[in-house]
Amino acid sequence: MNSFALEPMYGSILVALAAAAAVVIVVAVFTPPTANPGHRRVLILLRSIAAIALLLVVFRPSIIRTDKRPADATLVVAVDLSRSMTLPDNESTDRWTTQVKAWRQLAEGLKQFQETLDVQLVGYDRAPRMMADAGVDGLDEFRPEGDLTDLSQAVAFSLQAAGANPLAGVVFMGDGRHTAPLAATNPNDRDRVNTQALGAQRTVETFNAMGVPFWSIPIGPAGGALESRDAAIEGLDDSFQLFAGNEFDVSFQLLARGLAGVEVPVRLTWIDTEGNRSDAADRSIIAEASDELVGMVIPLIAPKPGAYRLEVEAVKQSGELVTGNNRQTAFVDIREGGGRILFLEGTLRPEQTFLRRALRRFPDLDLRFKWIRRDRRWPVDLDDWLQPGKFDIYIIGDLDAAALGDDQLQELAETVAQGAGLITLGGYQAYGSGGYADSPLADVLPIRMDPSRRRDVNSPRPPGGDNEAHIPGPLPIQLRRAHPITDLGGQDPPSVWRQLPPLTGANRLVGAKVAPGVEVLLQTADQQPLMVVGEYGRGRVASLAFDSTWRWWRDGKSEMHRRFWRQTMLWLLSREETGGDRIVLELDARRFAIENPPEFRARVGSVDENAPQRELVAEIIDANDVATAVAFSTESTEGAGATAIKGMIPKLEPGFYRLRVRSAQASDSIQPAELAFQAVDESRELAQPMADPVYLRQLAEITADHGGAAFTADEVEALIETVASRRRQAETPIIEKYRLGDGPISGWILFALFTGCLSAEWLLRRRWGLA
């Protein structure tokens, strides 16, 4: 709409009229004195034009144009860049294709507002970010590759993306699934994924308070009762260390969604190194609820020695879209024979601590510790722990015979006779001092004992020890006889034993029995026996007079300590091994997500202090037997000749691999060490195939009073019309005023007209000889 107005100088129309009257009077009264009427008319015309120009300046006429148009604002469009957008949207296309199509249609329709509406394109997955190109083709160069979706950050970032401009609204596309975890969430809450997206709701409430509409475009199929069917295996241990023929329990969980009343078969399968499969067990579960987590424990018998994979699989159900979570695999190392050890101790001494630490490094030796305190009623009841087949080796420390009682000691003697191993350690209540000379173990042990040395368990211990029953330290160890137990490696075994720190003391044994198989392996300088071994029935027995091998650790001889005790256990199990060097390889996890690779460590030690450190090589071998070197760093080690490395498994494609550590020297006789492992794609984005359009609709409804709403991908035209309606509601009056003389063009025209007319009038008067 246009209008005309006068804006006189000084803001007064009276002053302007007075000035106009004065100008008219001057022009009319003070006429040029000339007799020529033509000259007179010309001069009056020039003066009148100049007067009109002057009056225009005085009255300042203006044309005012009033118009309405939307104020400048920003529209934020957020698109989902996570991997869940690669999942199906319908039978013919995926969610990403649907989203790109919706964006192109929206961007094309918003071009009509480009003068006043700034469109900002935001992409989000684990974290939101601005997209450089907000044009129609803005998504063509992208692919959905995000490993997590954080709706909270994405919605909050939309508020910031507008910058200093007013926010016209937010268009939010995606499947509505929030997969980013929060530490504060209860890990036992199976619905924790969407409870963590509450931050998005709070931000949309802020939009509502600001009067900003939130428009959502949910993409992807909603999860109905049948569509959300899923059977998943969870919680299976990634590895087992077992012994052939032993029974063990396999524990795991079966997650059943949308399968209430449906029988779900579960299969357990052994897979050997050649890929051969054999059935291990079959079970079936019928879930009672639509979303149920069922714990399962299945007993199995370990097969013959070797390396295996144990696959636990829930059979695919009708209507199940995601099957990658239907199975889990555990790595099983099965060794020959048993290795279950029971350690019975009466006094908590450093020896038991370091012995347990030494055996902990060996997965084929499973040790259980039992502390029998003096303030409990004796004899203690060990249930069936001493029966044949329960444990393979028994260790008795500084424990009085009365703590076990004759009945249980007789049971232990019969267990040893049937093939179990037995170790007795030195101590104040060991051997004759502890009452074993008159116990059923007297015939089992390979040493002679004196009943007269019996001492009461509650009597105070002599400050300097009992010289009749104990040998004071320091007490160097001498090798009496070569044996698989005492072979710690090196070219000169006796010198290896002389390198060890002396004992703090030892029991004074009466002597070794004279019987087949009884041997004194270690002794003092004056030939007092320190370690005697023998046999009883089908079992093996070792009696040690000392209890201070823990000092080997303090002197940097931990590798010798481990070897001594391991070889003792293996001899008792009738599984002697050489004392040669070997590589010990450890991997923090045998089954892990590809984005969280674990650390590995390898160590090889040598008892020969003059041996040079080895150079090791670490490599990963894939399913095609292709080896790839792995970077690692060298660690500081205890003792000379030891080598230790550590490194990280690199990021791998999902699949089964082997980690191998070997010597870099081809001539080295040390055997490589290998561990099989699995890299798993555990992407939360692909674990749940259903979208959550309800959640995005709920967010849009929060701003319903300001025009917020949810639209399908086929309703983009309706969304564009809604945006247009909001832009019309946001129109404000725009006043444009064009006042004569304000601009340089009109100002110069008036000035030229005024000065030109007066100049011409002056020149004509001179030419015509007028005053």
Side-chain angles (χ1 to χ4, degrees), residues 105-110 112-113 711 715-726:
Q105 187 178 0
L106 179 63
E108 191 68 39
L110 293 176
Q112 58 183 302
F113 311 112
F711 299 87
E715 298 174 337
V716 176
E717 288 295 338
L719 172 59
I720 295 172
E721 180 56 36
T722 301
V723 173
S725 176
R726 288 287 302 177

Side-chain angles (χ1 to χ4, degrees), residues 261-330:
V262 178
E263 183 178 6
V264 181
V266 177
R267 289 198 298 254
L268 282 72
T269 306
W270 291 110
I271 306 174
D272 63 19
T273 54
E274 302 298 326
N276 300 315
R277 304 171 69 93
S278 58
D279 294 337
D282 290 285
R283 297 290 188 276
S284 293
I285 291 294
I286 299 179
E288 298 179 357
S290 60
D291 192 348
E292 186 173 358
L293 187 65
V294 182
M296 302 184 67
V297 179
I298 299 178
L300 295 179
I301 301 297
K304 62 183 181 180
Y308 296 84
R309 299 201 308 264
L310 178 62
E311 183 182 85
V312 180
E313 178 186 15
V315 177
K316 179 183 177 181
Q317 299 300 298
S318 174
E320 191 176 1
L321 298 182
V322 174
T323 59
N325 57 4
N326 283 45
R327 65 179 60 85
Q328 277 195 345
T329 301

Side-chain angles (χ1 to χ4, degrees), residues 71-377:
D72 291 343
T74 297
L75 178 70
V76 176
V77 181
V79 294
D80 193 343
L81 301 179
S82 65
R83 295 177 63 189
S84 64
M85 300 303 287
T86 63
L87 294 172
D89 176 43
N90 51 51
E91 295 181 356
S92 60
T93 187
D94 57 37
R95 300 175 194 177
W96 177 253
T97 302
T98 301
Q99 180 174 250
V100 171
K101 180 181 178 181
W103 159 250
R104 295 178 67 90
Q105 187 178 0
L106 179 63
E108 191 68 39
L110 293 176
K111 284 184 177 180
Q112 58 183 302
F113 311 112
Q114 59 186 358
E115 292 185 1
T116 60
L117 188 63
D118 179 27
V119 179
Q120 293 290 338
L121 185 60
V122 171
Y124 68 90
D125 42 40
R126 179 188 290 267
R129 53 193 176 276
M130 298 297 298
M131 310 279 280
D133 182 8
V136 175
D137 302 328
L139 296 182
D140 289 359
E141 296 182 1
F142 291 88
R143 289 299 302 165
E145 298 176 346
D147 58 347
L148 289 175
T149 301
D150 193 325
L151 296 181
S152 301
Q153 290 194 53
V155 177
F157 188 80
S158 300
L159 183 61
Q160 306 170 15
N165 284 349
L167 188 58
V170 174
V171 179
F172 203 88
M173 301 186 192
D175 56 20
R177 285 289 178 186
H178 179 100
T179 58
L182 290 181
T185 304
N186 181 1
N188 296 320
D189 182 6
R190 297 214 61 84
D191 294 328
R192 59 188 179 273
V193 171
N194 276 338
T195 60
Q196 292 172 355
L198 291 177
Q201 179 178 335
R202 298 189 185 100
T203 305
V204 176
E205 290 172 352
T206 302
F207 290 157
N208 186 55
M210 297 169 56
V212 175
F214 185 88
W215 298 301
S216 62
I217 302 181
I219 299 173
L226 180 62
E227 292 173 313
S228 60
R229 281 189 164 192
D230 187 31
I233 300 296
E234 299 181 352
L236 177 69
D237 290 341
D238 65 351
S239 63
F240 294 90
Q241 305 289 340
L242 305 171
F243 306 105
N246 285 1
E247 181 178 298
F248 70 104
D249 292 333
V250 179
S251 302
F252 58 91
Q253 296 171 327
L254 171 65
L255 173 62
R257 286 196 181 101
L259 296 170
V262 178
E263 183 178 6
V264 181
V266 177
R267 289 198 298 254
L268 282 72
T269 306
W270 291 110
I271 306 174
D272 63 19
T273 54
E274 302 298 326
N276 300 315
R277 304 171 69 93
S278 58
D279 294 337
D282 290 285
R283 297 290 188 276
S284 293
I285 291 294
I286 299 179
E288 298 179 357
S290 60
D291 192 348
E292 186 173 358
L293 187 65
V294 182
M296 302 184 67
V297 179
I298 299 178
L300 295 179
I301 301 297
K304 62 183 181 180
Y308 296 84
R309 299 201 308 264
L310 178 62
E311 183 182 85
V312 180
E313 178 186 15
V315 177
K316 179 183 177 181
Q317 299 300 298
S318 174
E320 191 176 1
L321 298 182
V322 174
T323 59
N325 57 4
N326 283 45
R327 65 179 60 85
Q328 277 195 345
T329 301
F331 295 90
V332 184
D333 296 321
I334 299 178
R335 300 175 184 271
E336 184 178 359
R340 298 159 299 178
I341 305 169
L342 177 61
F343 195 151
L344 302 175
E345 181 63 281
T347 303
L348 295 182
R349 304 173 294 174
E351 185 74 346
Q352 59 87 17
T353 300
F354 284 88
L355 193 156
R356 292 162 64 187
R357 182 184 300 177
L359 298 184
R360 191 183 305 144
R361 294 287 298 272
F362 304 106
D364 55 341
L365 299 176
D366 180 20
L367 186 146
R368 178 178 295 186
F369 181 75
K370 175 68 173 177
W371 177 28
I372 302 177
R373 299 169 56 179
R374 296 182 184 179
D375 57 355
R376 298 291 186 267
R377 178 179 295 180

Side-chain angles (χ1 to χ4, degrees), residues 347-419:
T347 303
L348 295 182
R349 304 173 294 174
E351 185 74 346
Q352 59 87 17
T353 300
F354 284 88
L355 193 156
R356 292 162 64 187
R357 182 184 300 177
L359 298 184
R360 191 183 305 144
R361 294 287 298 272
F362 304 106
D364 55 341
L365 299 176
D366 180 20
L367 186 146
R368 178 178 295 186
F369 181 75
K370 175 68 173 177
W371 177 28
I372 302 177
R373 299 169 56 179
R374 296 182 184 179
D375 57 355
R376 298 291 186 267
R377 178 179 295 180
W378 287 1
V380 297
D381 185 5
L382 296 180
D383 297 326
D384 60 346
W385 285 10
L386 302 180
Q387 292 180 0
K390 192 65 178 180
F391 290 94
D392 303 292
I393 299 174
Y394 295 88
I395 303 175
I396 299 178
D398 190 6
L399 180 65
D400 196 276
L404 300 178
D406 285 347
D407 290 343
Q408 292 189 125
L409 289 176
Q410 180 61 42
E411 186 177 15
L412 176 59
E414 295 172 358
T415 298
V416 173
Q418 294 186 35

Side-chain angles (χ1 to χ4, degrees), residues 318-592:
S318 174
E320 191 176 1
L321 298 182
V322 174
T323 59
N325 57 4
N326 283 45
R327 65 179 60 85
Q328 277 195 345
T329 301
F331 295 90
V332 184
D333 296 321
I334 299 178
R335 300 175 184 271
E336 184 178 359
R340 298 159 299 178
I341 305 169
L342 177 61
F343 195 151
L344 302 175
E345 181 63 281
T347 303
L348 295 182
R349 304 173 294 174
E351 185 74 346
Q352 59 87 17
T353 300
F354 284 88
L355 193 156
R356 292 162 64 187
R357 182 184 300 177
L359 298 184
R360 191 183 305 144
R361 294 287 298 272
F362 304 106
D364 55 341
L365 299 176
D366 180 20
L367 186 146
R368 178 178 295 186
F369 181 75
K370 175 68 173 177
W371 177 28
I372 302 177
R373 299 169 56 179
R374 296 182 184 179
D375 57 355
R376 298 291 186 267
R377 178 179 295 180
W378 287 1
V380 297
D381 185 5
L382 296 180
D383 297 326
D384 60 346
W385 285 10
L386 302 180
Q387 292 180 0
K390 192 65 178 180
F391 290 94
D392 303 292
I393 299 174
Y394 295 88
I395 303 175
I396 299 178
D398 190 6
L399 180 65
D400 196 276
L404 300 178
D406 285 347
D407 290 343
Q408 292 189 125
L409 289 176
Q410 180 61 42
E411 186 177 15
L412 176 59
E414 295 172 358
T415 298
V416 173
Q418 294 186 35
L422 174 64
I423 300 176
T424 54
L425 303 179
Y428 281 97
Q429 298 302 128
Y431 305 116
S433 300
Y436 287 94
D438 294 326
S439 76
L441 288 188
D443 295 333
V444 178
L445 301 183
I447 59 172
R448 292 178 286 118
M449 293 179 285
D450 185 356
S452 65
R453 293 182 179 180
R454 180 72 165 107
R455 60 188 305 273
D456 187 81
V457 68
N458 295 315
S459 63
R461 297 179 177 180
D466 185 353
N467 289 332
E468 181 183 5
H470 295 88
I471 307 173
L475 200 62
I477 305 176
Q478 289 192 358
L479 178 63
R480 170 77 174 267
R481 185 184 299 274
H483 191 273
I485 293 177
T486 60
D487 181 11
L488 299 184
Q491 300 296 324
D492 185 8
S495 67
V496 172
W497 281 94
R498 286 194 294 269
Q499 296 172 16
L500 298 174
L503 303 171
T504 58
N507 287 72
R508 191 183 299 276
L509 303 180
V510 175
K513 289 180 179 178
V514 179
V518 174
E519 296 177 290
V520 177
L521 304 185
L522 302 174
Q523 63 183 13
T524 65
D526 56 359
Q527 298 185 350
Q528 286 287 330
L530 293 177
M531 183 175 186
V532 183
V533 298
E535 298 179 355
Y536 182 74
R538 297 201 303 270
R540 291 181 173 184
V541 187
S543 292
L544 284 66
F546 47 84
D547 62 352
S548 55
T549 61
W550 58 270
R551 298 187 70 243
W552 301 0
W553 281 74
R554 300 290 177 83
D555 198 51
K557 309 295 184 183
S558 60
E559 183 64 28
M560 296 185 184
H561 186 271
R562 293 190 190 96
R563 291 191 180 188
F564 171 72
W565 283 111
R566 174 172 173 78
Q567 291 172 183
T568 300
M569 302 303 164
L570 294 179
W571 179 81
L572 292 168
L573 292 169
S574 301
R575 291 197 287 116
E576 298 90 337
E577 66 179 22
T578 63
D581 297 342
R582 66 190 187 93
I583 298 174
V584 178
L585 178 59
E586 297 175 345
L587 188 60
D588 285 347
R590 304 281 295 273
R591 183 182 67 243
F592 54 87

